[in-house]
Every structure is written in structure tokens, then in C-alpha cells.
Amino acid sequence: MKLNVSTWSIHNPIPVILLFVLMTLAGLMAFAGMKVQNFPDLDLPTVTVSASWPGASPSQVETEVARRIENALATMQGVKHIQTSVTDGEANITIEFRLDKPVQLAVDDVRDAISRVRADLPPDLRDPIVRKVELAGTPIVSYAIASTRMDAEGLSWFVDDTVARTLLGVPGVGSVARVGGASREVRVELDPDRLLALGATAADISRQLRQVQQEASGGRVGFGGAEQSVRTIATVQTAAQIGAIELALADGRRIRLGEVASVSDTVAEPRAAAFLDGAPSVGFEIVRARGAGELEVAEGVRAALDGLRARHPDVTISEAYNFIDQVEESYSSSLRMLVEGGLLAVLVVFAFLRDWRATLVAAVALPLSVIPTFALMQAMGFTLNIVTLLSLVVGVLVDDAIVEVENIERHLLMGKDPMQAAIDASLEIGLAVVATTFTLIAVFLPTAFMSGTAGKFFVQFGWTAAGAVFFSLVVARMLTPMMAAWLLRAPKQHARREPAWMSRYLAWAGWCLRHRRATVGAAAILFAAGIGLAAILPSTFIPADDDAQTRVTLDMPPGSELRATVAMAERARVALARHRHVRQVYTAIGGGGGGGDPTDMQAAAAADVRTAQLTLTLTPRPERDGMRKQQIERELRALLAELPGVRIQVGAGGSEVYTLVLSGEDGQALARHAPLVERELRSVKGIGAVTSSASLLRPELVVTPDFARAADLGVTSGSIAETLRIATVGDYQENLPKLNLEQRQVPVLVRLGEAARGDLDTLKRLPVPGARGPVPLENVATLEHGSGPVEIARLDRRRNISFDIQLDGLALGDVEQAVLALPSVRDLPPGIERTAVGDAEEMGEMAAGFGMAMLTGVLCIYMVLVLLLRGFMQPLTILAALVLSVPGAFLALFVTGSALSMPSMIGLIMLMGIATKNSILLVDYIVIARQEHGLGRHEAILDACRKRARPIVMTTIAMGAGMLPVALGWLGDPSFRSPMAIVVIGGLLTSTFLSLLVIPVVYSYVDDCVRWLRPGKATLTQPA
């Protein structure tokens, strides 16, 4: 096969130079305009529904809201899981669809389902809010703000108004959320004795005040030929004026509000708090918009905050935590490793060729393969992230150019001038170079179409890797021969001494050809040993990271008040601060995402006052003396063991937690079995904390109406509930009267005073509206103390209990295997089932997706080789290299203690394409020697071994050197990148060594098979 593009390029260097100048400029311009992210934005068809019914208990919300919505959602197509968390007055439902469901269609289907069922939901339920889940929706940076001039309320308004308005003007900022602080509120605290004396109810006062204190449109009139609008303005500006408002009672009497209540302009009851290293502060978190880059957003935010500091010198803004540093570190280290890997590969080439001109020709291939790829990435909407930068494998991109240059040098040693040597060498090696490139593309592209969540990551990986490899082919077939023809010089001596190892290698190859059965048998044993080794390797979805951030979550007992949570969080902070690697602690109570998973139900429940999240900034990795973050977290758990009566979870979740979920229709059976499972889980060796979602009971005040007396007095259960709700927590937010100020509205909250709300006798005497006037509550109902669940968790329309097991450095697969072997999990009671969720489920999908991608890749490689070699049998020889790479890949993981994970699977995919290179080079030259040089099979095989061993060894070492910085983790967090490089280097070593010995034997067997199938006829590889 004569590929004349190389010859044309040699004779026409100017168009080739201009082409690569244009490609380089396009790539550089694209690189300058690309966004930098940690991981690519994923379009996952996951939708959340938030339904709020203030004042309702979890059991009531489950029965009247959650179940009805779930039943409507279950009728939609493509639903994978429906996960529900029910708390006080709230139902948060997460609907996870199959990945083939378009995101917008999923959102529309959910909205339609909610609309259909809305009439069946309670009338006073707030309209459910439907949102799509975006992984960009987690905070990337958080700040704590303090001031010497403003109090907590003023500082909070400063954040809500000035800070939020300034930061939302920064390109890429999606939202700004305040944590802690205080909100201004006009509080109307009713006197229960006066209410009872006047025969008024709390609901009456709140309703009358709302109807009086408002501004409304009054129509339209025309005077003097001009049209004028009519406005009814019945608003006041101060709390004193509100207290002076006259209200009409139901019996026709009127009272002044100040006669039955004390009115004050104050702050709302605190339900959240923020602290930075123990000092009270107001926090705010910044979320980037989808498609924006973390580094770009962080730079804009910091510049905007610098401007705020300059305009408000009394305000101190301190960074509480950020997830920007790890992105910046990953990005800069990826680029540095790309450069360092390229330099090492170039040094290897120079060590073999000992010619700076030839080394320059090979070295140019690397930047000219990478840079144009950036233009392709930008055109496809990709970003610079850990996945796309990982796909720019140095060794693979310089491989084709090395093979070309080495072959041209060999032809120069034959006495040819550089021009002729470049033409002949490029024609001779063309088929092998094209075959190796297209086999790599055939491996990489199927990964872009994988299923599952892992497939969403690999869309950018597959296209980027395939594009970079294609550009390396363009360089190798056009630029490299042209540069070699014009830059290389004919050597002074035409004899090149063979390397010292060549004679020994040829002796080994000859022995293998004479003992073919023993050679193939040994290779089969090694392959079986590699498969056996893979079976005992630990497995996980994504390796736990080793950055400088971690999180501690404290869950207080049910019924705990904010001040108790604050006190316990401070005790925890003091204990954590004693650790030598803890630099800073940011505490958020009753709010704050802490950079958690946006689909995490427990993180969503962090708005509870009994939950505190402590975000810890650790010392940078180089200052830890080799201590990983997981070891630090283990020591932090020991420090917190002294805290009594609190559930503690250390770690940011995600890939560091295994979740076991048990579900069933019978909630009581689940509750009975959960303690046994939890007790046995704690017996698993090596794991961290075990946290159960089995809801603890919280104290409740249960009101039971006396139906006979209530009916006699004309009192309904609804009026009892409304009276108690308004008297204790106030009316619904949208129904509250408002104090209209110039820039904002301040809510006016009507309810009992704090002392009255805590007095059972006072609550009993509350007036309730009846048919013949208000009556005391105790006349129509009994009030007694009881208990109820804090939270009800549901999965796929059934009650469920989940157990979060912190891996503490162990592999997810090992922990899952140990958990499933426990008697209480293995032998579940009737009606209770185990469900795989989270990383365990994703890991199973990833294994299936990778298996299909590998099979597709092998099939694509075979078809490409059939087309290029014009035969069906000899491509089987080349595919044997895949088998030979297995032992080294798994042995390298075993020796380094790495687990089978997503990045190691990436390495296996890469290895599939790279491993075929060696056998392609050998088989290609055997065919040339037999067809063009007229050699016999044995002589052709040995001649190919002699002439192709050097480029095979050279490209292998160059590729390994290019991967070495990644494998060793010289820069940045190696957790994600290192397993990939370890697999590739280990597989390359065994594949190269075994290919040089086994592939000649396999070729001879395949050739024998061809002769047996076609007796009396010349094979395709025999000389004519």
C-alpha cells in the first residue's frame, strides 16, 4: 500500500508548513478561550421536587403529599429510582432517570406529573418546586464576613444586598447564598390572657393585620381628559405605627393591636449560624453557573471582593474554604506533567538515535499533535479538565513520529540521500503507522458512547484522545517525512553497530520459534495468572482524593435546639484544632453545602438546626510527610470519639462512602431489623464510622380533638391546627403582612411570646374559633406529650433505611463484599430487600460499560486490521498482543496497591490500542520481507525481529517515560491520574517483552492455519 501523501509533502514543503501553522494558531486561540474545570459538566437526567407544607408532621407529609406525588411520578417512562426524604413540613423527592432520557424532557415530564396530581394534594401545600440537578450546583468557594460597624442583622443585609448584587454581576457566578446571620423581622407577640378576655384568636389577629396593612391597586379613573391609576396605600413604616393600628374583631368590636400584643422591630428567631475558627460570622457560598470554569469564576469573585473591601474598609472578608485550589493544582500539574513527559520521551529518543536533528524531528510531533486538538475540543464544547487532559497521552502522540524517524535513519544508513531515504522509509512504514493509529482510534472512540454515568465522563475523553491520535498521524505522515528530508544529513559511515542486546534477543526469538508449544503454553499461563490476579484486586468507582479539604458532619439528638448544636460544634472544633494538620475550621449550622454532593439527601437535610457541618482546611499535601487525607480523617474520628450523644461522620462523602440500603413496605419490620444490621456492620474490620438513617424519635406535643364536644361547639380540626400553627410559629410566609421599606420588605410575624409558647397551660387556654364564638382549646381537645419520627426515608415508593459506611481507605468492592457476607444482610426477613445505590451501583454499571467498550474496541481493531492487511487471519496475530498485556497491567496494580477503578479502566482502554502497536510493526515487516524481499517464513520472521525490535523498544521506553511523571505523582493529587499510568506502564512492559518473543510464534501458527485451510495455494503473505 503506497501512501503518497508523504511523498507529496516532501516535494511540497510550503503548503505543509502553512497547514501546520494554521492548525497551531487555531489550537492556541482555542486553548486561550477554553474554560478550566475539575471534571466536565454532566447532563444527568435527575430532577428534584420540593414540596413544603409548614407545620405538618413527617408522617402526615408522607401520607398526604409524598406518596401521592410518588405514585404520579412512577407512571413516567425511563424512571430508574425515586428517592424521598420527608421531614417536618417538607418532602424532598429526587427522581433519577435512565441516562438515555433527555434532561429537559425529564423536567417537563415531572412538571406534567405534578400538575396532574396537584388537585389531590392539600390546598394549603405550597406549590411544589421542580428543579433539575446540576453537578455545577455545589459551592466552589465560601467566605466569612465581619464588620466593626454593622451588627449581625446589618451585616446579613449587606450580604443579601450589596455582596450578592456585586457577585452576581461576575460572569460565571450562578448564585450567592448566605449562611448564618440574622434577618430583620417585626415581631408581634400576642398576650394569651388578653386574647381570651377579648374573645379573639391568633389567626384572627394575623388575618386582620394582613388585610389592613397592605398596598393594593384600586382601578383606573379619568379626570380632565387624562387617565389615572388608583392605588390604595394602607401601609406604615415603623413597628410603633403597626402597634397603633386599629383592628376589627369578629363580633364588631375594634381593638388597637398594641392592646393585645407587644410589637418590636427585631430579628427573626435564628435557625442557622456560621463560625470561622470559633468566631461568629456571616458566611456566604458561591456556586458557579453551568458551563463556567472554576478558575475563571474564582478570579472574577476575588477581584469583585477586593473592590468591596476597598469601598467598605470596615468590612473584613475572609475565605472560609474553597475547592478552587485543587482545580488549579490539577490543571497546572497536568500541563507540567505533559511537558515533563514530553521532555523525558525526547531524551529517550536522543539516547537511542544520538542525533539532535533526528531528535528534533521526532520532538516536534508532540506539540503539533496536542495544540490542534484544543481547536477540536473547543469546537465540540469541551473544557480543560482532568479527563480531557488525561487523554493527551504523551507517549502515544510521539509514537508514530519515532517509528518514522527510526525507519528513515535506517534507510540513511543504507547509503541513500535524505530525500530518497525519507520517501522510501515513509512508503515502507506507512501501512504500519496508519494501522497503529486507526487501531488506537478504534479503541478510543467507542468509549465516547459508553452507557452509565462513567460514559458521561468518557464522551470528552474518547473524542479528545481520538482527535489527538489522528493529529499525530497527520504529523507523522506529512510533517515528519518532510522535515527529515530537509533537515537530516547523510551519516559519515553507513554501518551501524547493533545494540549489545540484539544478538541475545535474536537467540531467544529463535529458541521460541523452535519450541512453539512451550512458548504459547508459557504465554497462556501468564495470561491466566493475570486474570487470577485481577480477581483478587480491590475495586472501587473513583479513587478517594487526597486534597486539602475534608468535612465533619454532626447530627444532634432529635429535639435539640440551635444553642445546643452550637455548643457541640464548638467542642468538636476545639478537638479538631488540636490536630497538627488542621489549618482552619469553618462551621455552618442549619445551612451551607460545604461542597457536598447535590443529590445527597443528607446534605439537603443540613438545614436542620440539629445538624452542623465543619469544613476543615488541611495542610497542603507536600507538608504532610506522606500522610494521606484518609489517615488524617482516621485520626480526626479518634479525636471526636469523646463527644457524647452525637452522630459523627468524617469525610466529604461521595467516593469515600459505601451505602447499604434496605427497603420494604413494612416500616416497623425495617425499624426492628435495622439495629441488628447496624451492630453487625460495626464489626467489619478496617471501616470508619457507620451512620444509619433509621430515624430516631423526637418529642412531640400531640393534640387530640374531642369530636363530640368540637361538633357541639362548631369547632373544626382545621381551625384547631391553624390556631396552634399561627400561635407557635406564625402564618405561612406568603400570608404574612409586610413592612414596606425603600429597598426591601420586612415580614411582620404574629405569634405568642417565647414564654407562652413553652407553657402547656397557656396553650391549653388558647381561644379557638367556634360557631358561637371562641372557646378555650382544652374544652375541645386534649394535649399530651408523645413522640414521632424525625425523618422518613423512602426509595422507589417504599420505606427504606440506609447505612453509610465510611471506607477509611479501604476499597469499595472489598467493603461491599464484607458487608454482603454479614448474616443480617445475607438472610433478610421476608418483605425486606437490599438495593444497590450510589457508587456501588455506578461501579457495576461501569464494569458492564467498560466490558462492552472493550469488546467493541477489539471488534473495531479487528475490522480495521482486516481492511488494512486485506485478510482475515493475520489480524488475529496482532490481537494476541492484547492477551500479552494483561499480566503486566494487573501485576502493576497489585504491586503498587492500586484498585481497579475508573482511571485504571481508562488505562486498560489505552493499553488495548497501544499493545497492538508492537505486533503491527512485526507482522507488517514480515509481510514486506516475504512479499517484496522473497524471504522464507523463518528468515522473514527473524529479519523482522532484527529490524523492528529497536523501534519497538524505543517507542515503549519513550511512552513509559512520558507516563512516568503521571505514575509517580510528582505534581498535584495523583489519586485519579496515577492508576491509569500504572496500568499502561505495567502492561507495556510485559506486552513489549512478550510480543517480541510470542508474536513471531503466533504468526507462524496462524500462517500454518492459513496453509491448512488453503492447501496447494500460496497464502497472502507468501512471495509471488
Side-chain angles (χ1 to χ4, degrees), residues 74-86:
T75 62
M76 299 182 299
Q77 288 188 347
V79 174
K80 183 178 179 182
H81 290 303
I82 300 177
Q83 190 173 359
T84 304
S85 173
V86 182

Side-chain angles (χ1 to χ4, degrees), residues 86-219:
V86 182
T87 55
D88 261 341
E90 295 285 340
N92 293 298
I93 305 172
T94 299
I95 308 98
E96 181 183 354
F97 291 87
R98 305 283 176 189
L99 288 178
D100 56 356
K101 181 100 169 181
V103 177
Q104 191 55 49
L105 179 60
V107 174
D108 293 340
D109 285 353
V110 171
R111 286 201 176 107
D112 291 343
I114 297 297
S115 299
R116 290 195 302 270
V117 79
R118 183 63 181 92
D120 298 330
L121 299 177
D124 50 351
L125 176 79
R126 294 178 183 173
D127 286 338
I129 300 172
V130 179
R131 302 186 188 91
K132 65 178 180 180
V133 173
E134 294 183 352
L135 294 189
T138 56
I140 61 172
V141 62
S142 179
Y143 290 90
I145 185 170
S147 173
T148 58
R149 185 177 56 87
M150 291 181 278
D151 58 8
E153 189 278 325
L155 198 57
S156 300
W157 174 243
F158 180 77
V159 171
D160 294 340
D161 180 49
T162 307
V163 174
R165 188 171 62 248
T166 301
L167 294 182
L168 288 174
V170 175
V173 172
S175 65
V176 179
R178 172 166 61 88
V179 181
S183 299
R184 186 177 173 184
E185 175 183 275
V186 174
R187 190 176 301 169
V188 179
E189 295 188 336
L190 300 172
D191 184 335
D193 296 327
R194 294 288 295 164
L195 285 179
L196 190 60
L198 292 171
T201 67
D204 286 338
I205 300 298
S206 180
R207 192 179 304 112
Q208 284 290 320
L209 184 59
R210 183 178 69 250
Q211 292 174 353
V212 170
Q213 164 69 13
Q214 63 174 296
E215 180 178 334
S217 61

Side-chain angles (χ1 to χ4, degrees), residues 224-346:
E227 188 176 273
Q228 299 179 17
S229 61
V230 179
R231 281 196 304 150
T232 302
I233 302 177
T235 58
V236 295
Q237 301 297 317
T238 65
Q241 291 174 335
I242 290 179
I245 291 178
E246 300 277 344
L247 302 177
L249 299 179
D251 58 2
R253 291 180 296 166
R254 62 186 180 88
I255 59 169
R256 185 169 53 84
L257 182 59
E259 294 177 1
V260 293
S262 62
V263 183
S264 59
D265 190 344
T266 179
V267 295
E269 178 184 355
R271 302 289 295 174
F275 302 86
L276 183 62
D277 286 333
S281 64
V282 178
F284 59 92
E285 298 175 338
I286 296 163
V287 176
R288 70 174 176 89
R290 175 177 169 77
E294 281 97 338
L295 299 189
E296 173 194 29
V297 173
E299 184 179 354
V301 165
R302 286 165 179 163
L305 291 180
D306 287 339
L308 276 178
R309 292 186 184 99
R311 294 192 298 272
H312 303 275
D314 61 301
V315 172
T316 303
I317 303 176
S318 307
E319 189 173 272
Y321 69 82
N322 80 75
F323 291 89
I324 304 298
D325 291 345
Q326 66 188 66
V327 179
E328 189 170 5
E329 180 189 52
S330 174
Y331 170 66
S332 59
S333 60
S334 295
L335 292 184
R336 285 191 60 180
M337 282 189 283
L338 195 66
V339 173
E340 291 175 1
L343 292 176
L344 285 174
V346 170

